[in-house]
Every structure is written in C-alpha cells, then in structure tokens.
Amino acid sequence: MKVGLSWLREQVELPADLTEADLDLALNNLGIEVEEIADQRHSVQGSLVVGKVLTIEELTEFKKPIRFCTVDVGQANGTGAPQEIICGARNFAEGDRVVVILPGGVLPGGFAIGARKTYGRNSHGMICSAAELGLSGDHDGIIILPESVTAQPGDDARPVVGLDDIEVHVTVTPDRGYQMSVRGLARELAHAFGARFTDPGLAPAPSGTATPAWPVTIQDTQGCDRFAARLVRGIDPAAPTPDWMARRLLTAGVRTLGLAIDITNYVMLELGQPMHAFDADRISGGLVVRRAAEGEQLTTLDGQARVLSAEDMVICDDTGPISLAAVMGGQTSEVVDGTVNVLFEAAHWDPTMVGRTARRHKLFSEAAKRWERGVDRQLCLVAIDRAVKLLVEYGGGTPSEEILDLNHPGDPVMISMAADKPSRLIGVDYSVDRIGDLLTEVGCDVAVYDDRVDVVTPSWRPDLREPADLVEEVVRLDGFEKVPSVLPIAPPGNGLTPAQRRKRSVGRTLAEQGYVEVLSYPFVSAGVLATLGLPTDAVRLANPLSDEEPFMRTSLLPPLLGALKRNVGRGQRDAALFEQGLVFLPDPSAGVPPVMGVAGRPDPALWEKANASVPVQPWHVAVVLTGEYERSGWWGTGRAALWADAVQAARDVLAASAVPAAVVGVAAAERAPWHPGRCAAISVDGQVVGYAGELHPAVCAALDLPKRTCAMELNLDAVPLPGTTPPPVFSTYPPALIDVALVLPADVPAGQVEAALTEGAGPLLESVRLFDVYTSEQLGAGQRSLAYKLTFRAPDRTLTVEEAVAARDAAVAVTAERFGAVLRGA
C-alpha cells in the first residue's frame, strides 16, 4: 500500500512538524511493517521548473526523430533567455507547458543533467517524462501540464507534479484489510498520535430507493450479502481525470485508465471499498448475481478467456457472465472511450470465495487483495455516493434518483472477554477501564463489568473474532514498548531424547567425513519414482504446490539426487551430500481420513480414526557422492568415489548410532536403483535396515548424473536406539599383531569371514581388519585370498607368543570348518 502523507492529512490532524523518523516509529509501534518512507521533495535535486515551449525545429538528418526546442523557463536560468534543449519526444507542441530540469540537477537514480553538445546543437537541460521523475513507469512521452495548472514559466515544478509530498509505503498483514486504504491508515495514525480523525466512511449518503437503479437479483446471499448500484447518465466521454487524482493514483502505483475507472480506483484507495463501473448501454437486461456454472466461460478485462468453476461468483446479464465478481470485470460490459452512461456497483462479497477464485485463476487484482482480507460492508452506499459525486463534478452527467441497495445483514459479532485476560497473557497490569477505553478507540461498542468486558466489533474489523484478538488490540494500542522482555525459565528435563541425540551424532559424523547436508522438499513426481525403480503408489497431495510433483517421497534419494544434479550442473564435479528426514509410506488399508471441523477439539474416536489414516513416516538418512573421494593434486593422484565409500558411510552412521560393529552385516543384494553387481544390503542383528552401493547406469543416464554415482540410504527407525554407553576398557599391556591370509571361495562374503575369525579367536581378539584382497591363476579358478590384521591383547597381562598363536589358530580353524579356508602359503 502506497499513499502520500498529504492524502492522510485530509482525514487525520497529524502534527505539522511530523518527521519521517516519527512517522516510521509510529507505524512500527502499531505493528505495521514499513517498506519505505520517501520524501519526494528530495528525489530530484537542483532546479526543476515549469517551462513553456516557444519553438520546435525538427532535425530530420538522424535515424530517429529529434527536436531542437527553445523553452521559456522564466528567470530560473539566471538570464531570462529561452533555454535550448534537445528532445526526442513527439507528444508536445509549441505553446505547451512542460517540466524542465536545468543543468546541475540530478534525477532519481543519480542521473546528472549538464549542458552538452548533441546532434550538432547545444542542449541545456532536459524536458522530463513521468518515468524520468520517478512518478511512474510511463516512457511514452514527456509531461504536458493541463490548463487547470496555474504555474508560470520558472516556477518550481515539484508541487505541480506531486513531488512535494512524503510517500508512505507499508505492507499490510493478511488479517488487517482495513489498513489497505487511506481511511484505515489515517485511523491507525490517529491512535498513534492521539489526533482527531474524520472518518469518511461515516459520511452521509442517500439510502436505497423503492425503485432500483437497475434490476438486480442475488441468487446466493452467502457469496454476496449486499449489492448497491447507481446510474449516471450523459457524462462527457472525453473528460480527463483531474490532475490531483491522477497524481495520487500514480503514487499508489495505479495506472490511469479513464475518468470513470480512475474514480473507482480512487474510492477504493480512499475508503477501502472496491467498486466496478459498467457501461450501462452494453448491459442486456437485468443483472443476476450467482455462482458460475461449471465450465462456463468469461473473457476478463485483461483479454484472457477464463473457464469458470462452480465456486466462482459472477455477475450476469441476459447474455451470460459479464464480470468475475470481486476479482475483475468482463470485456463485454467495460467502460470504453465512448461511454456516456455509467452504472457504478459496490457490493460485499465472501472473503473466502474471493481468495479461492483469485488463486484458481491466478488473478490477484487490487480488489481481490482487499476482499480476501475483509472489507467494511457498511461502505457500499458511501462509496457509491462518493463515486457519483466525483464523476458528476469532473465528467458531467446526471445521477439517477434511483439507488439500488440489496442488503442481507448478518448478526453482529459479540465477544465476551475476562477482564484479567490481557494482564494474564501480556504481563502488564491493564485496568478494566483502560481496556474499555482502548477498545472503544478502535471503534468497538464496549460494556465494562468488574469481571468481564463485552464487545460488539465494528463493521470494518472482521479480524476481531475472539478474546485473543481483543488482547492483541489492547497491547498494540497501549504500546508494545510497555511489555517487559522476560525470558521464560526453561523447564527441567533430561535434555535431548535418544532419537534427538542420534540425529545429531549422525549429522556430525557425516559432516566430519566431508559430506554436506542439504534440506530438500519432500515432493516428488511419478516419473522420478519410476526412473529410480521405486513404487509409484505414493501418497498424493490433495493440493500440491506444483502439479509436476504431487507425491510425497518414499525415499530420500529422489530429491537428494536432484540436489546432486544441480550441483554437478553448476560445476561441482566432486560432490558428497547427505540428508536426514522423513519418508512417507502409503498404507492401502488406512482408508480415507475423516473430515474434522475447527469449531472444537474432535472426539477421541474421530481423532483415533484420523491418526490411523496418516501414512507411516520413518526417519531415514541418505548420502550421494560422485567425482573424486580423495582429491588429486601436486601430492599425487586422487581416488574416485566407489561403492565401498557408500558402504563405509553406512558403517559410520551405524557406529555413530552406537550400534556395535559385531552386529552390523554387509551382504551382496539386488535393489533398485542400485547396480545389481555393486549393491550391498546393510543389516543390524540380521534385519536389513538399508542399502548402499553404485547406482545403476541406466538411472545415471536418465537423471543426467555422472557415471558411477554412489548412494546409501538407511532406515534409522529400524535401528535400535542407543542405550547407556559403557565406558571403554583400556589395557596398558602391549598388543600382539598377527596377519593371516586365507584362501577360500570367491563367493564367500568378507564380512562373514570376519565374523568367523572373531568368533574363533575368543575374548583375546581386540580388532580384526581386512587389508588386502588378492586373486591369481595360482590360487585357482573361483578362489581368492583375504588378508586380515588381527590384534590380540589381554587386559591383565602381556600375552605370550603361544597364547597369541593359539588364538589365531582357533580363529583360522573356524573359517576352515565353515568355509573351507586354508592359510595361504601353508
């Protein structure tokens, strides 16, 4: 919302010496977000004066039309002689008064004006357009002052073009639609400064007559509970918009489109009541306000043919829909250049309907923005009267005696609030009389009792619906600065839960290994699920943010691989990413969730049924990596990321989750989207909790990922939560280090061999680590050698050679019995 301070002063008596800082502080203290407060008097520096074009010489020897002009600028140039100026605009003639900036001046954006030679002539200054002065984005031509302007050549042009005002730009929160008007902002400033406020919404206006201004029928009084209209006949179709009105509209960022339309926009900005102007001669028969038929079509003022929904409200004549109610009018009934009979309409529409219609058609007009935030239903006749008077004053014509007012009022909103509620919630002692005074200042009808306050809210405050809203008004008007800043005392507890501790430990561990955490949206497309070989019967959103991704992820890999693709596409060829988050697994037997209202807490049976329909949401962790895992450089060659690195990431995650290495299993598996020959199933105590390995080449090609991209995903909810971790037991005695190389069938997993060595070696074995895998023709077909480093240590003594060798032999014996392994070289 943009508005000039001079317009606000017409409704509220602000201090004459009000500064920008004081205004900014007052608005912020009222809870209004200030985007900018700009003093337009300082936007153009130097001499900006009124000039009169004396002569125009057309320079035709150049590629584009150029004019050499002499302009009378009075005594502003110090000599009184005509000013010579080069100009490329074509919309002015000799005798026109224009706006001139003289050498030494600076336009908005830091554009300095000087005297220079161009196109073979000397140019001293510039004739300005509205865009060059920062008044609008209109570059079509320079400003020509109308005859109503009395300024003479040499006079300061700032007051003439509206650069003598302070522009206030605020952002209005969705619950305070009344602030999207001069009336609303002026009322707020009256609260802030204790100033007298003249409410234009209470101006006297003629009531509806027995004979309507136009035959209108409302078929849906829930969508439209009030409809007012009045006809003005015989206006001058060529009558211009008055300069003062045009300047205020431009300041607000609204284009001027003709007198009748500009008046509707002006009244909307002034009062907050959106209106519409129909060409009465283009309406066929009476008007009907109704819901649209499904599939019905309407071409709106922006030239778009729109297919309507049964929830949309439309205004129709005998030909069909002529306006998308509360959002945008239609082309068939719009005011055009030759319009002489104008029918003004001001109605009151259902905010929910307007909001849904605007989003459905992606048509966020200024009217729709106000309607979905709430508009004062008592403004209809006041707005009609204001618009009619303005049109008659500046466009001529005769207003009809007949006034239409179809009014279906609802019951007033009455709220009862405990007298001590504001004090209990805010921590400031508000007396019941102070509460009554503040709410009366807002416009409420208040009845004060010892223990409660009964309030009937004003028509312009549809956001006041419950006691909490009244508390907010009390603290806002009394001053947020009076509310003490007291930090709440943290409740006693046991700190983080085991699941929270595990989440943090896993994140720290992966980050320390060089992985970068990403946070992805949990939305996926059916195409990506199919590409990765994942089930496509995922949970579908009823109202997705994007029609391209209407499903909830069943795996972390689709969005994580999307993040990897973006990084690779931007030059990050070596990337390692991880994410922790929920996945959403559909349950076909869950059924349809029940519809629950918001009037109160649902009963336990309904609540249980609703929870039963929620999909299972386990917590997963996943990593993806590509490129070099170990960087190359002057120190030597690096190493590309392998499937084994993804498996090691799974081991690291489980170690961070306090899962003993002895119960972690790694076995070959086949699982989409991994490569069948390079995929490992990760298990804990025999239960598979995830997979790791290299992605299938077809998946890499389909997703445009580098070859041999690797990935890992674990279901952490399937991993037992860590209990109390016992302190480690250290032995101060030296270890016994023995290497063993076992020859055994190549299809025996190394993890099973390690488990067998651990079982056979007994309690003296401290650690076992695979350090070499060897194959050759000498070993025989289908055979391979696995070399392990065994570390033996006793907690209470130094082991003898015999004890260490006996433990080694026992370990080898178990592998020989279980897998037919033999010591290499034996």
Side-chain angles (χ1 to χ4, degrees), residues 140 256 499 670:
D140 292 340
T256 55
E670 292 189 12

Side-chain angles (χ1 to χ4, degrees), residues 252-408:
V254 179
R255 292 185 302 133
T256 55
L257 300 171
L259 179 59
I261 300 173
D262 292 344
I263 286 174
T264 62
N265 288 329
Y266 181 82
V267 173
M268 176 183 69
L269 294 172
E270 182 179 56
L271 299 178
Q273 170 70 53
M275 299 180 62
H276 189 67
F278 295 97
D279 185 331
D281 296 329
R282 304 178 71 192
I283 300 175
S284 301
L287 298 179
V288 177
V289 181
R290 60 171 173 82
R291 299 280 177 173
E294 190 69 38
E296 206 167 11
Q297 293 192 3
L298 168 67
T299 301
T300 47
L301 292 174
D302 58 359
Q304 297 292 320
R306 302 185 183 277
V307 179
L308 305 179
S309 165
E311 190 180 4
D312 298 332
M313 291 286 293
V314 290
I315 302 174
C316 305
D317 66 2
D318 292 347
T319 65
I322 61 172
S323 176
L324 186 57
V327 178
M328 184 174 284
Q331 282 189 339
T332 60
S333 61
E334 68 175 316
V335 172
V336 293
D337 292 340
T339 296
V340 293
N341 297 320
V342 175
L343 179 67
F344 282 122
E345 165 261 308
H348 187 262
W349 308 94
D350 175 43
T352 302
M353 177 277 296
V354 177
R356 294 177 65 88
T357 295
R359 282 161 178 76
R360 184 181 302 110
H361 296 284
K362 297 180 174 60
L363 194 56
F364 300 99
S365 64
E366 289 296 320
K369 292 176 184 177
R370 286 163 173 81
W371 278 120
E372 69 172 337
R373 287 167 168 81
V375 173
D376 183 0
R377 69 181 314 278
Q378 302 298 336
L379 288 174
C380 295
L381 291 179
V382 177
I384 287 285
D385 187 59
R386 176 69 165 145
V388 167
K389 288 179 178 178
L390 287 171
L391 184 57
V392 170
E393 179 179 358
Y394 294 100
T398 303
S400 67
E401 297 295 332
E402 299 82 11
I403 300 173
L404 172 73
D405 183 23
L406 300 179
N407 192 6
H408 301 274

Side-chain angles (χ1 to χ4, degrees), residues 809-821:
D809 291 345
V812 172
V814 172
T815 62
E817 177 185 354
R818 195 167 295 173
F819 308 115

